[in-house]
Amino acid sequence: RNTTAAGCVALTIHTYSSSLHYISSIRMASAPQNDMFKQNHQSCFSFLNVFDSNQLPKTGMIATATPDPQLSSAAVHIQHQRQQNHERNEMKETEEFLAAELNKLSFQERSKALEDVHCVADDDQETPEMIQQSLAEFDHFVQTSANRMYDIAVNQNRSYVEDVEFRLKFLRAHMFDARQSVHQMMNFLQQKAEYFGEAKVAHDITASDLNGEE
């Protein structure tokens, strides 16, 4: 995506608690190499601290004033007030920086970044060619990573584990990454055997397979 890290950060802040860890990761992994962004690292986390300080990583990046026990109550109050003013100024600078970076993005870029934040992006448009290629890769990885549970499923009901729609469920769940999709399918069969018995590995689980407590 041709979006800047700062733009993603700004959109992530909009989602607040569900995206705090996302901001933490892109802060270090995707920060552009410019002095302005580096200078705002610290103020960015001070800005986020206002929303939810308990969910931020304890990196010590946010400076907090520790009152000197030798100071009078009036001096402590002044020190605290100065610290608050400093944090407000940092917050304002960060907000202005993020807003400026966000405004540099096109409407399409902002929409795509927001979709990423909410995990609703739809970048992969399925085509018949794409599906056929993915299914071929899926079958290749099945052959190279088949295990005992898969063999049991094939012996029980080959059409179940080789069904195109069945395999597409795993491919779509992993954005058509065949290796990861096969790994999940193998784990799926293993979990079915563990919870419902090996006799049900190659069959859909129905209400009749559940006991009274389940």
Side-chain angles (χ1 to χ4, degrees):
R1 254 181 234 295
N2 294 322
T3 57
T4 64
C8 289
V9 171
L11 288 170
T12 305
I13 292 172
H14 177 68
T15 64
Y16 170 40
S17 60
S18 64
S19 306
L20 283 170
H21 294 293
Y22 177 76
I23 298 169
S24 176
S25 64
I26 65 173
R27 173 181 59 88
M28 296 303 295
S30 304
Q33 298 302 310
N34 61 71
D35 294 337
M36 186 175 184
F37 196 93
K38 292 176 182 178
Q39 291 171 0
N40 279 275
H41 272 176
Q42 192 168 2
S43 59
C44 181
F45 272 81
S46 178
F47 171 59
L48 293 174
N49 188 49
V50 174
F51 290 95
D52 197 338
S53 60
N54 292 327
Q55 295 191 40
L56 290 176
K58 307 302 183 182
T59 60
M61 292 184 63
I62 303 173
T64 56
T66 302
D68 188 333
Q70 302 299 323
L71 298 177
S72 65
S73 59
V76 169
H77 176 73
I78 293 173
Q79 184 183 44
H80 179 67
Q81 198 67 32
R82 287 176 177 171
Q83 177 65 21
Q84 284 188 326
N85 292 337
H86 176 69
E87 291 179 354
R88 289 194 189 99
N89 290 334
E90 283 188 331
M91 195 183 307
K92 182 179 179 181
E93 292 174 3
T94 303
E95 287 176 326
E96 291 174 350
F97 169 71
L98 295 175
E101 290 297 314
L102 183 60
N103 287 332
K104 293 178 183 179
L105 304 178
S106 68
F107 174 77
Q108 290 77 13
E109 288 173 331
R110 288 197 298 270
S111 296
K112 288 180 179 180
L114 189 59
E115 287 174 354
D116 278 345
V117 170
H118 292 285
C119 300
V120 294
D122 187 23
D123 287 336
D124 292 314
Q125 300 297 324
E126 293 182 14
T127 63
E129 294 77 14
M130 175 185 176
I131 291 175
Q132 289 301 319
Q133 180 180 351
S134 298
L135 288 171
E137 293 175 358
F138 188 99
D139 189 64
H140 168 74
F141 286 117
V142 166
Q143 301 306 320
T144 58
S145 59
N147 54 28
R148 172 179 170 274
M149 201 53 60
Y150 181 79
D151 292 337
I152 290 175
V154 169
N155 291 331
Q156 284 183 12
N157 187 359
R158 178 181 289 273
S159 62
Y160 178 83
V161 291
E162 293 183 353
D163 180 69
V164 170
E165 291 302 320
F166 175 74
R167 292 186 170 189
L168 280 175
K169 292 177 183 178
F170 299 101
L171 284 167
R172 286 167 176 154
H174 289 280
M175 304 295 289
F176 288 87
D177 184 324
R179 185 187 298 273
Q180 290 296 323
S181 302
V182 170
H183 176 75
Q184 185 180 1
M185 185 187 73
M186 297 301 180
N187 186 57
F188 170 74
L189 297 175
Q190 185 65 43
Q191 294 297 318
K192 284 183 72 175
E194 179 178 343
Y195 290 104
F196 301 100
E198 293 183 1
K200 296 291 183 179
V201 169
H203 300 277
D204 290 328
I205 303 302
T206 64
S208 61
D209 297 312
L210 307 178
N211 58 37
E213 292 183 357
E214 294 171 332

